[in-house]
Amino acid sequence: EMAPPVGFAATVGWTPQGTPTAPYKGARYLLSTMLGVCSGRGNAYAEVVEGLRRSAAADGSRPAGTVFFMLNDDVRSTAREWAVLGAAAMVRSQGVAAEIGRGVLPQGRADVAGLMVGAASFDWPASRSALLPGAIAEHLTSFGGRLDEDAGQTPLTEFILHGAAGAAGAVAEPHAIQAKFPNAFLQAYYTAGYTLAEAFYLSINAPYQILIVGDPLCAPWAQPPTLRLQGLDDGQRVDGAVSLRVTPEPADAPLAAVNWFLDGQRLAELPATAALEIDAARLLRGWHTLSAVAIGAQAQQTRARAAVRFLARGAPEEFDLIEVTPTTAAWDSMITITRRGA
């Protein structure tokens, strides 16, 4: 049995037992992945960019595919076989197909929505299978994250090359210690609606030798509501105070709180039903962007976003003009800035 997963937030503190607490009462973390690696045995820049676009487009798509758990007699497979039955059952309970197969790779399957492999090397084209957009695919082996040109074993970037949204591999000899790799519940957390980064870190007990590559926010099975801002129209000129609220669609989507941001700076976290009051007269004149990020009340804490641009306190021609002379300068030279206007 696994502890129930919880959504991640960088503003939350965590106890040594892994339970969330107030930020000042526990350790705080950031989840990280490499978006791509373009050297050594990495992928070409164009491949990385195309892969990230494919992953972003997969968000909320609930791909009609199958999650595969491949088992064989290799220690790379047997080390985490203990979790396969439970993980597959959890995937199926969420309405997603799951298959437990024998061998290294699924053969002739064009519907691979997730893949757990246990092998040092593999030949993906020879399998005649295809990874669906948003899929996580990874293989437990010693040097899947060693991407220098003379490293051995198949690198994790082979999965990225063939369409995976994320993959992982060890960067130094980890031995067959399963805690250093994702366990089988990686796929179950992902199909439950957690992001790619959350699913990886929920399933790795000791992530100190693992390199995760891919889109950290990819969430094919997340179902965030559509968020709408009330009280301010896009492009509106604002001279005084305004009151803003968010409404989700569908209207009964449960929201726990809303984080408000002005020009990327966090203003406040308010209850979902509370209004945000801002006074445009106290803002710098010009264009501003107000964003709302709603946090879902479910365990995944799925985020929904909405943003609006508005013009505060005047038209563009009323702005101050700042001139900088000279327009180019040496690193250690002085420049003069002159301000003209009201």
Side-chain angles (χ1 to χ4, degrees), residues 6-26:
V6 294
F8 179 84
T11 55
V12 175
W14 298 87
T15 69
Q17 292 74 37
T19 57
T21 185
Y24 57 87
K25 290 185 177 180

Side-chain angles (χ1 to χ4, degrees), residues 8-339:
F8 179 84
T11 55
V12 175
W14 298 87
T15 69
Q17 292 74 37
T19 57
T21 185
Y24 57 87
K25 290 185 177 180
R28 292 172 60 189
Y29 301 95
L30 294 173
L31 304 187
S32 67
T33 74
M34 294 289 290
L35 294 178
V37 179
C38 299
S39 62
R41 300 194 296 168
N43 302 108
Y45 174 79
E47 293 168 352
V48 171
V49 172
E50 178 56 32
L52 292 172
R53 287 175 175 157
R54 172 181 161 103
S55 299
D59 286 347
S61 63
R62 294 193 63 83
T66 303
V67 174
F68 288 88
F69 300 90
M70 301 303 298
L71 300 178
N72 55 59
D73 294 330
D74 192 314
V75 67
R76 299 168 179 84
S77 174
T78 59
R80 55 182 175 181
E81 187 172 345
W82 62 271
V84 167
L85 286 176
M90 184 174 170
V91 170
R92 295 183 187 116
S93 73
Q94 294 155 176
V96 181
E99 291 187 17
I100 301 172
R102 297 293 302 180
V104 175
L105 299 174
Q107 300 295 309
R109 296 296 296 263
D111 63 337
V112 181
L115 177 62
M116 186 192 85
V117 175
S121 302
F122 61 86
D123 185 347
W124 183 259
S127 74
R128 297 171 290 104
S129 294
L131 291 162
L132 297 180
I136 291 176
E138 45 79 45
H139 61 316
L140 185 156
T141 193
S142 296
F143 303 119
R146 280 278 303 276
L147 300 181
D148 46 301
E149 292 182 1
D150 60 352
Q153 305 180 345
T154 304
L156 66 91
T157 47
E158 186 71 6
F159 284 126
I160 303 294
L161 172 64
H162 293 288
V171 298
E173 177 58 67
H175 302 287
I177 301 174
Q178 197 274 288
K180 296 182 178 183
F181 296 90
N183 61 51
F185 281 91
L186 162 69
Q187 301 291 343
Y189 299 144
Y190 199 40
T191 56
Y194 292 89
T195 66
L196 182 145
E198 287 175 319
F200 267 110
Y201 284 98
L202 281 166
S203 62
I204 306 175
N205 283 44
Y208 309 110
Q209 289 175 250
I210 203 82
L211 175 68
I212 304 170
V213 178
D215 177 0
L217 297 180
C218 188
W221 284 276
Q223 295 294 301
T226 300
L227 203 64
R228 304 204 180 277
L229 282 173
Q230 292 183 326
L232 196 59
D233 295 325
D234 197 55
Q236 180 178 337
R237 172 174 171 157
V238 183
D239 297 310
V242 291
S243 178
L244 300 115
R245 296 178 183 272
V246 297
T247 57
E249 294 181 7
D252 59 352
L255 300 180
V258 178
N259 281 300
W260 293 92
F261 297 85
L262 182 66
D263 300 328
Q265 298 295 314
R266 189 166 179 257
L267 290 178
E269 180 176 304
L270 300 176
T273 57
L276 174 73
E277 308 289 338
I278 62 171
D279 187 356
R282 303 182 64 179
L283 302 178
L284 291 175
R285 285 184 286 173
W287 287 99
H288 297 273
T289 300
L290 185 74
S291 305
V293 180
I295 304 170
Q298 71 278 64
Q300 294 89 339
Q301 300 179 10
T302 303
R303 266 60 169 175
R305 294 170 172 80
V308 63
R309 293 183 71 241
F310 66 95
L311 183 62
R313 295 184 61 198
E317 60 267 22
E318 298 175 36
F319 296 171
D320 294 343
L321 176 66
I322 294 178
E323 296 179 350
V324 179
T325 304
T327 55
T328 59
W331 171 255
D332 58 351
S333 64
M334 299 292 291
I335 63 171
T336 301
I337 299 176
T338 303
R339 175 179 178 273

